[in-house]
Structure formats: structure tokens, C-alpha cells
Amino acid sequence: MHISEELAQKNLKSWDYLTEFYDRLLASAGWDYVKPLVRLVEQLKQSEYAKYFRAGQSLWHLMISTASQHGLTESDLYIYITIKVEKTIKNDKPVYFTRGIEVSYKQDIHAIETITCDEPELMTTIEPLLKRLWNDTRGSTGNYYE
């Protein structure tokens, strides 16, 4: 598996940016339910995956791709990770409850595969999808992820 040093540095910076984004989000009231995504981003940022995959977000949802630059096209494959949240009102204030984490392998807005898991299974759920994403995109050049 090989990518240029320039692309690896861009990918690493994308994880730094996403960490800053989630830090700003958590500084606002009512966003505690995204903490599982924050922990996942930190885990991935510390791994080899951070060099090979670009991190991004749509609203507060985590997106992972092999795109060489910011912004996805309709033909790009990516992994989309979101927290399933239920909102209730308690003492006239919104309260959010996490109802699992949804991980989708997507192209454009169409889910090819969707898996719901809890945070302890999150990394083992996305690792096969990361390998699939690599093989379906960059692997076409012969650089298969093993």
C-alpha cells in the first residue's frame, strides 16, 4: 500500500482539523452525544489509517474517504458514521440519548451497506470497511490493503 508523502500529510492534517471541529462542537451545550465519534477520531488519528484516509464531516457526522482533496463527488465511495440519537424534553430542556452508532459504506447518498453497533464494537466494525474502501478505490492501482 503506497501513497505519496504529500497526500499522507494532507490526510493527517484532515484528522487534526476534525479534532479541532469536534472540540469546538463539544464546547457548545448539548453536543455530548458526539463523544463516541470524538474518541473514534482520536483512535484513528493515532493509527496508521490516518495517513491513508481523509477525515471529514457533514454537519456533525464523520466521513472517511480516500479522496485526495476536500470534497466528495457523486462517484466517490466513503464511510459515513453517525450517532443514532433520540431527543426528549426534561424540565423544559432537550435531553439526548444515544441509540447506537450507524456505520454506512456509501456512494453519493446511497448506502451500499449499513451496520449499527455500540461504541465498544466501533473499531472492529469499521476496520473491514476501511480495507474495503481502500481496495475499491486506491486498490484499483494495484496497491491493495492487507
Side-chain angles (χ1 to χ4, degrees), residues 43 50 58 81 116 142:
Q43 189 175 3
S58 174
I81 304 168
T116 300

Side-chain angles (χ1 to χ4, degrees), residues 7-61:
L7 182 55
Q9 290 305 311
K10 284 183 180 181
N11 289 344
L12 290 168
K13 285 181 183 178
S14 74
W15 292 96
D16 289 337
Y17 169 80
L18 202 59
T19 299
E20 292 170 12
F21 168 80
Y22 281 124
D23 286 346
R24 288 190 308 273
L25 196 62
L26 287 173
S28 304
W31 289 98
D32 285 348
Y33 62 88
V34 301
K35 285 183 178 178
L37 293 181
V38 174
R39 288 187 285 269
L40 176 63
V41 166
E42 283 301 321
Q43 189 175 3
L44 289 168
K45 184 178 166 180
Q46 300 303 318
S47 74
E48 284 291 309
Y49 291 122
K51 288 195 300 190
Y52 296 99
F53 295 93
R54 173 174 290 278
Q57 45 61 234
S58 174
L59 301 175
W60 53 270
H61 314 284

Side-chain angles (χ1 to χ4, degrees), residues 63 72-80 102-115 129 132-133 136:
M63 300 171 74
L72 296 173
T73 68
E74 290 181 3
S75 63
D76 287 332
L77 294 165
Y78 62 97
I79 298 169
Y80 181 88
E102 191 171 273
V103 180
S104 297
Y105 188 73
K106 290 186 159 191
Q107 184 172 27
D108 193 21
I109 60 168
H110 308 288
I112 297 167
E113 178 179 356
T114 300
I115 304 162
L129 293 176
R132 178 179 177 186
L133 178 60
D136 287 352

Side-chain angles (χ1 to χ4, degrees), residues 5 64 73 96 137:
E5 184 59 31
I64 302 170
T73 68
Y96 300 93
T137 57

